[in-house]
Amino acid sequence: MGLANLYLWSRLLSGMEVYSQRKRVLLLLVSWIMLLPLAVLGGSGNNTANATAPLSPSSRPKVVNIGALFTAKSVIGRSAEPALVAAIGDVNSDSSILRGTKLNLIFQDTNCSGFVGTVDALQLMEKEVVAAIGPQSSGIAHVISHVVNELQVPLLSFATDPTLSSLQYLYFLRTVPNDHFQMYAIADVVDYFGWKEVIAIFVDDDNGRNGISMLGDALAKKRAKLTYKAAFSPGASSSEIDDLLISVNLMEARVYVVHVNPDTGLSIFSKAKKLGMMTSGYVWITTDWLPSFLDSSDSVNPETMDLIQGVVALRHHTPDSDQKKMFASRWKNFKGVEIPSFNSYALYSYDTIWLLARALDLFFKDGGKLTFSDDPRLRDTNGSALHLSSMKVFDQGQKLLQILIGMNFTGLTGQIQFDSEKNLVHPAYDVLNVGGTGTRTVGYWSNYSGLSVVTPEIIYSKPPNTSTSAQHLYNVIWPGETVTPPRGWVFPHNGKPLRIAVPYRVTFKEFVHKDKGPSGVKGYCIDVFEAAIDLLPYPVPHVYILYGDGKRNPSFKNLVNDIVTNKYDAAVGDVTITTNRTRIVDFTQPYMESGLVVVAPIKELKSSPWAFLQPFTLQMWCVTGVFFLFVGTVVWILEHRHNPEFRGPPRQQLVTVFWFSFSTMFFAHRENTMSTLGRLVLIFWLFVVLIINSSYTASLTSILTVRQLSSGIQGIDSLISSNDPIGVQDGSFAYNYLIEELGVLESRIRILKTEDEYVSALEKGPQGGGVAGIVDELPYVELFLANSKCVFRTVGQEFTKGGWGFAFQRDSPLAADLSPAILQLSENGDLQRIHDKWLSNNGCSSQNNQADDTQLSLKSFWGLFLICAVACFLALVAFFCRVYCQFRRYDPEPEEQDISEPESVRPSRRPLSSLSFKELMDFVDKRESEIKEILKRRSIDSKRHQGQSPDGQPSSPV
């Protein structure tokens, strides 16, 4: 082929990102391979065919081919290749596994080239391998995954690209941790230190782009964000990297995540060191590439270590075990070792071979056979020089894949087991901090419990806990040799100060107004902001920009929206914190309490001839009167049988009840109580009367001596229920609140632009073209009332709660830093001093003293009435129980009956059911002493009859 055609094929291969054209790409690749010298290709194919010749069903094959795809001279390849060879040797020498079958490793060097790696992968598939290990490159993994899907060959990949999905690539099985988890670990570290903005520096290839995309998703869940993606090409020159770092250094974020390959990653830090970006205030976090480089050598050049001082890096966590220690002791004796030490990929390589060996052992025990067949879709056409039939389908590849997925054993890297998405279970990372001549572990991360200073193996034995309070790391030494966590951001060095919008107010200029001074604005809000800025440990260059035309108050809704659209960086002024606004911008801690209130005109109430009735509500008067009669009746019932003062003709008794009832109000009752129950009831009632009298006296005194003010509007409810116009301040959120939240018709609302319009509208009233009341925020109302000499008053209660704060763009770190500063101003009294400087201290009463407010209602006394009622009820129950017992012993027959008649001759006592109601009432009406006398006499007669002689004759008198 010509050079032009060769260039065309390479361009097509390097640009393969649309996977829906996989078959077309596959044919192009095969055509390139088959045009190589046929002697080489044919010889290789024949050898493979002979090595895997069909065997009888009763015997295992002697040799099983396994493919491996790595870049031999890379940091990962130098660790992976010796470990693969050593694992093959250990498996082949172990008689307990794969009895009689040897593994044959076919290693293909991808040479750090996506094109060469893809060609090598296709050549590997011609050799009838039962599984392929690798590649480490995500680009090659994406292409070869289509091939293994077609040929049903399991791919045990080291590519960490999170977009390599097991749903799309059925035969793709990742035997190293997915970068999905590594990016979530970085997000947890960022969240642990409270940073909100991150800049990603990465190689612009499949692995870099997809990994950083996952990092963005992980940060978003922590309410942080990637403010910039600084990508550079795989073969970027030194000047290109310089320009990239200079551009990111001009941005405000100082947290950098470096996601590159380990072979060229150090060049980033070399340039950063020269640019002064490895000093105090900077944060550098790397993925596992840096520990992979450092772990591959016993000692690193001191100059190299000086480049990465203070860097935080993640490394695959592998538990310390005897197996791992034995592997480390054998490392230098392995065949092909070129480096003094190894990284985590060596351990994963070793475990991958044992995973495949154990799976093959189960495969053969279950009757599996290594047979390959032609793919009818890859057949040679007439006259074609493409030997497509050289790539065959592994007939039982699906069975081997299912066995691999179901494996569960403990290897050098820990538990080897796969979840439903074909990822290793329990992914974990060591959190390392580079310092001095090496690294130290400051914690661990696992998807089980997040960040911890305890090893994941111990954490797994406890219930999972990912709460914020459970996240811990040891102290980190940051660049510049400081242990204080950097703020993570600074104001950019591009000469642009913070653009702060300030409302150009027409009313209530004490809060903020235009000024001829250097800043251009003055007021209460400006002084609070400047005082808070002065408390920050860093300078904040800023410029104030007036928002509005100065003819009317600006729309605060539009002001907040302009912050969202990046027209302004912040807003300083009387900006109310509302729910809708907090969804699109960030507010500081409120520096002024606020809420909506109603202002209305008031008039003084003149004294009324019936003022003595005002202390109690109508309900209270009625209940009190009823209880006077009720208690009087109860006392009459209890005293009627004992006390002659409560007896007599019915008219006299009725007068007595009324007199006694109401005379207790003044403690002037002359009747004495003789019964115990009557005295008990009277004690409770007199206590109630004492409380009622005292309360009535106090309330009446207040009504007659305190100035009474009244308004036709009692609060927001009465204002809404009327049809009168309602005034609101121009630009206030109260306009939308009344319409959207309270359902007030827009036609009822009047917009007032000046304080003079406030006064005029209230004085005119709804009948004169004014308003019945004004709904505004409390700070404005307090200032208005003070300026208007307290002619008007607020009515009702404050019906919303809120505050004023400074608004910033979403996730702005300055908003978070200013909140503690505002709290400090409040604690040290500066906030109050600023308030006293600008706002009047001559406040008006926030509530008018309305007559209804001083009235005493039943809810204040129902407890007393309840106690008295219970006492009366219990006394009546005791009284009637005693009457009933006496009545059972009482016989209403005439007492003149001859008691000398024999007992057998006298009639028996009548039953109670035969007694008439009149007889019962007569009994109740009898005096207590009379009843006792009758019962006593009957008791003596009964004893006398019991003492008669046996013949029925009475005994002789003594």
Side-chain angles (χ1 to χ4, degrees):
M1 298 179 66
L3 292 176
N5 289 337
L6 179 60
Y7 176 76
L8 176 61
W9 292 116
S10 64
R11 291 292 294 173
L12 288 172
L13 286 170
S14 62
M16 286 192 298
E17 294 183 1
V18 182
Y19 301 138
S20 60
Q21 301 178 358
R22 61 181 187 178
K23 293 184 179 179
R24 180 181 176 186
V25 174
L26 180 62
L27 290 176
L28 292 174
L29 290 171
V30 172
S31 64
W32 164 252
I33 295 169
M34 302 308 293
L35 291 176
L36 293 174
L38 296 179
V40 176
L41 192 60
S44 175
N46 292 335
N47 291 339
T48 304
N50 293 336
T52 58
L55 300 172
S56 61
S58 60
S59 61
R60 293 188 178 190
K62 297 297 183 182
V63 178
V64 175
N65 287 341
I66 298 174
L69 291 165
F70 287 94
T71 299
K73 299 303 181 181
S74 66
V75 171
I76 295 177
R78 288 190 179 97
S79 289
E81 184 177 4
L84 291 172
V85 174
I88 291 290
D90 291 345
V91 169
N92 289 339
S93 62
D94 191 339
S95 59
S96 64
I97 191 170
L98 291 176
R99 300 176 182 85
T101 299
K102 301 296 182 182
L103 298 181
N104 177 39
L105 180 67
I106 303 174
F107 191 89
Q108 294 279 29
D109 186 359
T110 59
N111 291 313
C112 289
S113 170
F115 174 73
V116 174
T118 303
V119 172
D120 287 343
L122 292 174
Q123 289 179 336
L124 190 64
M125 293 298 103
E126 295 179 350
K127 300 177 182 179
E128 297 183 350
V129 295
V130 298
I133 300 174
Q136 67 198 68
S137 167
S138 296
I140 301 174
H142 276 285
V143 176
I144 197 62
S145 293
H146 291 289
V147 178
V148 297
N149 273 7
E150 188 72 21
L151 303 180
Q152 300 181 15
V153 176
L155 179 65
L156 310 181
S157 179
F158 279 30
T160 58
D161 184 352
T163 63
L164 286 165
S165 169
S166 60
L167 296 177
Q168 181 181 8
Y169 307 118
L170 299 179
Y171 286 83
F172 179 86
L173 190 63
R174 201 189 320 262
T175 56
V176 295
N178 191 334
D179 267 352
H180 167 92
F181 302 107
Q182 182 168 211
M183 297 308 168
Y184 272 82
I186 293 176
D188 280 350
V189 172
V190 170
D191 182 63
Y192 177 79
F193 290 104
W195 301 315
K196 295 299 180 182
E197 296 183 356
V198 175
I199 293 177
I201 302 174
F202 62 98
V203 179
D204 192 14
D205 57 12
D206 289 338
N207 185 62
R209 284 191 303 273
N210 298 330
I212 295 303
S213 177
M214 182 61 65
L215 175 61
D217 295 341
L219 289 172
K221 293 183 177 180
K222 301 294 183 180
R223 287 206 61 183
K225 63 179 179 180
L226 279 175
T227 56
Y228 186 69
K229 296 180 180 180
F232 59 92
S233 63
S237 64
S238 176
S239 61
E240 290 175 336
I241 295 177
D242 270 342
D243 294 340
L244 182 72
L245 293 179
I246 291 173
S247 65
V248 300
N249 196 35
L250 292 176
M251 302 176 185
E252 67 178 38
R254 283 293 181 265
V255 181
Y256 305 120
V257 174
V258 184
H259 185 48
V260 296
N261 63 71
D263 299 285
T264 59
L266 285 179
S267 61
I268 299 289
F269 291 102
S270 176
K271 301 298 181 184
K273 181 76 171 180
K274 293 178 181 179
L275 294 173
M277 299 175 67
M278 299 301 298
T279 57
S280 178
Y282 289 87
V283 177
W284 292 87
I285 303 174
T286 75
T287 51
D288 63 288
W289 67 266
L290 182 58
S292 296
F293 171 81
L294 298 177
D295 291 344
S296 299
S297 57
D298 284 337
S299 60
V300 182
N301 188 335
E303 295 180 358
T304 300
M305 293 301 299
D306 186 56
L307 297 177
I308 54 177
Q309 293 295 304
V311 173
V312 174
L314 297 185
R315 177 178 62 193
H316 297 133
H317 174 76
T318 55
D320 292 329
S321 62
D322 294 338
Q323 291 176 289
K324 182 178 175 181
K325 294 176 182 178
M326 185 177 296
F327 178 88
S329 65
R330 297 171 54 200
W331 172 256
K332 294 183 179 179
N333 299 324
F334 287 164
K335 181 180 178 181
V337 171
E338 299 179 3
I339 50 179
S341 186
F342 58 89
N343 55 44
S344 59
Y345 287 94
L347 303 176
Y348 285 110
S349 299
Y350 190 88
D351 282 349
T352 300
I353 291 294
W354 275 98
L355 168 68
L356 184 57
R358 292 172 185 270
L360 285 170
D361 191 41
L362 294 177
F363 175 80
F364 291 134
K365 289 180 180 178
D366 196 34
K369 301 176 182 178
L370 299 186
T371 58
F372 296 85
S373 60
D374 294 332
D375 188 341
R377 290 173 291 184
L378 294 176
R379 58 187 178 184
D380 298 328
T381 58
N382 293 333
S384 174
L386 302 177
H387 292 190
L388 301 179
S389 59
S390 61
M391 289 188 291
K392 300 183 180 297
V393 178
F394 181 19
D395 294 331
Q396 293 191 318
Q398 176 65 26
K399 180 176 181 178
L400 178 59
L401 176 66
Q402 295 305 318
I403 294 176
L404 285 166
I405 295 174
M407 293 300 296
N408 184 5
F409 69 96
T410 301
L412 299 181
T413 58
Q415 184 179 2
I416 307 298
Q417 186 182 0
F418 298 95
D419 59 19
S420 59
E421 297 182 359
K422 300 180 185 177
N423 291 316
L424 288 172
V425 298
H426 299 322
Y429 292 88
D430 299 334
V431 183
L432 306 179
N433 181 211
V434 180
T437 58
T439 62
R440 65 187 184 93
T441 302
V442 296
Y444 307 91
W445 181 92
S446 68
N447 70 327
Y448 187 76
S449 289
L451 296 173
S452 173
V453 294
V454 181
T455 59
E457 293 76 38
I458 298 176
I459 293 292
Y460 294 148
S461 62
K462 303 177 182 179
N465 185 2
T466 56
S467 63
T468 304
S469 60
Q471 308 299 296
H472 298 288
L473 289 176
Y474 291 121
N475 288 335
V476 175
I477 300 177
W478 304 101
E481 298 184 355
T482 175
V483 295
T484 302
R487 190 170 65 250
W489 69 278
V490 295
F491 283 96
H493 301 303
N494 54 12
K496 294 182 180 179
L498 203 66
R499 301 164 300 171
I500 300 178
V502 177
Y504 195 172
R505 294 197 58 85
V506 176
T507 57
F508 306 114
K509 294 184 178 181
E510 289 86 348
F511 294 109
V512 61
H513 63 273
K514 183 179 180 180
D515 183 64
K516 295 181 180 180
S519 64
V521 289
K522 287 180 66 176
Y524 168 75
C525 301
I526 301 301
D527 282 4
V528 172
F529 180 74
E530 291 292 344
I533 288 293
D534 290 341
L535 293 178
L536 297 180
Y538 51 87
V540 181
H542 58 278
V543 58
Y544 295 114
I545 304 172
L546 287 172
Y547 187 85
D549 56 9
K551 298 179 180 179
R552 59 182 297 182
N553 291 337
S555 169
F556 286 84
K557 179 180 179 181
N558 295 337
L559 172 60
V560 172
N561 289 334
D562 284 346
I563 297 175
V564 177
T565 58
N566 200 32
K567 187 175 180 179
Y568 304 102
D569 298 312
V572 171
D574 46 337
V575 183
T576 305
I577 303 173
T578 64
T579 303
N580 290 334
R581 292 173 184 175
T582 57
R583 295 190 178 105
I584 55 178
V585 296
D586 282 350
F587 282 94
T588 62
Q589 170 81 16
Y591 63 89
M592 168 75 87
E593 292 184 359
S594 178
L596 291 178
V597 294
V598 178
V599 180
I602 56 174
K603 61 181 179 179
E604 185 174 355
L605 293 177
K606 296 182 179 179
S607 180
S608 169
W610 305 99
F612 66 90
L613 295 177
Q614 293 180 5
F616 289 163
T617 62
L618 178 61
Q619 184 187 39
M620 181 64 181
W621 279 116
C622 294
V623 172
T624 303
V626 169
F627 257 82
F628 271 109
L629 295 176
F630 172 68
V631 173
T633 303
V634 170
V635 173
W636 176 83
I637 292 173
L638 299 176
E639 291 292 320
H640 180 68
R641 305 182 73 196
H642 298 271
N643 196 336
E645 295 181 356
F646 287 86
R647 300 184 65 84
R651 181 177 179 181
Q652 179 182 346
Q653 295 183 47
L654 185 61
V655 171
T656 300
V657 169
F658 275 91
W659 164 254
F660 179 84
S661 298
F662 291 101
S663 63
T664 56
M665 180 186 302
F666 312 103
F667 305 96
H669 54 285
R670 65 174 183 269
E671 293 82 6
N672 293 321
T673 52
M674 301 179 62
S675 67
T676 303
L677 294 176
R679 291 173 177 175
L680 179 65
V681 170
L682 190 59
I683 288 174
F684 281 99
W685 175 240
L686 291 178
F687 176 73
V688 173
V689 171
L690 175 64
I691 300 298
I692 292 176
N693 280 341
S694 302
S695 302
Y696 176 85
T697 303
S699 181
L700 182 60
T701 302
S702 174
I703 291 173
L704 296 178
T705 58
V706 178
R707 183 186 180 196
Q708 298 297 311
L709 302 176
S710 176
S711 171
I713 301 299
Q714 307 302 320
I716 185 63
D717 293 331
S718 62
L719 183 62
I720 293 175
S721 61
S722 69
N723 294 320
D724 296 331
I726 302 173
V728 296
Q729 182 183 175
D730 188 20
S732 172
F733 83 99
Y735 183 88
N736 291 329
Y737 182 85
L738 290 174
I739 297 174
E740 298 173 3
E741 301 295 333
L742 301 183
V744 178
L745 295 177
E746 188 174 359
S747 59
R748 293 180 55 193
I749 300 178
R750 305 288 186 267
I751 296 178
L752 308 176
K753 299 180 180 180
T754 65
E755 292 185 54
D756 291 339
E757 291 186 10
Y758 271 50
V759 175
S760 176
L762 290 173
E763 289 179 344
K764 290 179 180 179
Q767 304 301 326
V771 296
I774 296 176
V775 176
D776 208 346
E777 295 182 71
L778 185 60
Y780 302 129
V781 170
E782 290 177 342
L783 190 58
F784 168 70
L785 295 179
N787 293 340
S788 61
K789 309 301 181 182
C790 301
V791 175
F792 310 101
R793 295 290 177 92
T794 61
V795 293
Q797 300 295 325
E798 186 178 354
F799 57 93
T800 65
K801 291 292 184 181
W804 292 352
F806 304 127
F808 290 85
Q809 292 182 5
R810 193 73 169 167
D811 298 323
S812 171
L814 188 57
D817 287 353
L818 275 177
S819 291
I822 292 173
L823 288 176
Q824 186 175 345
L825 289 176
S826 178
E827 292 172 356
N828 61 23
D830 289 344
L831 195 60
Q832 185 61 43
R833 282 189 285 272
I834 297 174
H835 179 278
D836 296 341
K837 172 186 174 182
W838 287 99
L839 306 178
S840 173
N841 293 323
N842 299 323
C844 302
S845 175
S846 61
Q847 279 295 123
N848 57 25
N849 297 315
Q850 302 175 19
D852 289 344
D853 295 339
T854 60
Q855 283 190 317
L856 301 175
S857 63
L858 181 62
K859 66 181 181 180
S860 302
F861 298 95
W862 70 267
L864 287 173
F865 288 125
L866 178 62
I867 294 173
C868 184
V870 170
C872 292
F873 175 76
L874 295 177
L876 289 175
V877 169
F879 172 77
F880 285 115
C881 287
R882 183 181 180 192
V883 170
Y884 175 75
C885 293
Q886 291 177 343
F887 189 62
R888 290 192 56 175
R889 297 163 52 196
Y890 175 71
D891 187 357
E893 284 294 314
E895 296 180 14
E896 290 80 5
Q897 184 177 357
D898 187 3
I899 61 175
S900 63
E901 295 183 12
E903 187 177 354
S904 60
V905 178
R906 284 182 296 164
S908 61
R909 186 186 302 270
R910 289 187 298 169
L912 292 177
S913 59
S914 65
L915 299 176
S916 65
F917 180 74
K918 182 178 181 303
E919 293 172 333
L920 177 61
M921 289 296 98
D922 289 342
F923 173 78
V924 174
D925 190 51
K926 289 181 181 293
R927 299 184 59 171
E928 182 74 15
S929 59
E930 184 180 351
I931 294 297
K932 289 182 178 180
E933 181 65 25
I934 294 173
L935 295 179
K936 180 179 179 181
R937 188 164 57 248
R938 290 190 181 279
S939 176
I940 294 174
D941 291 343
S942 177
K943 291 181 180 180
R944 182 182 303 168
H945 286 296
Q946 290 178 1
Q948 290 180 343
S949 60
D951 58 359
Q953 297 299 323
S955 303
S956 301
V958 179

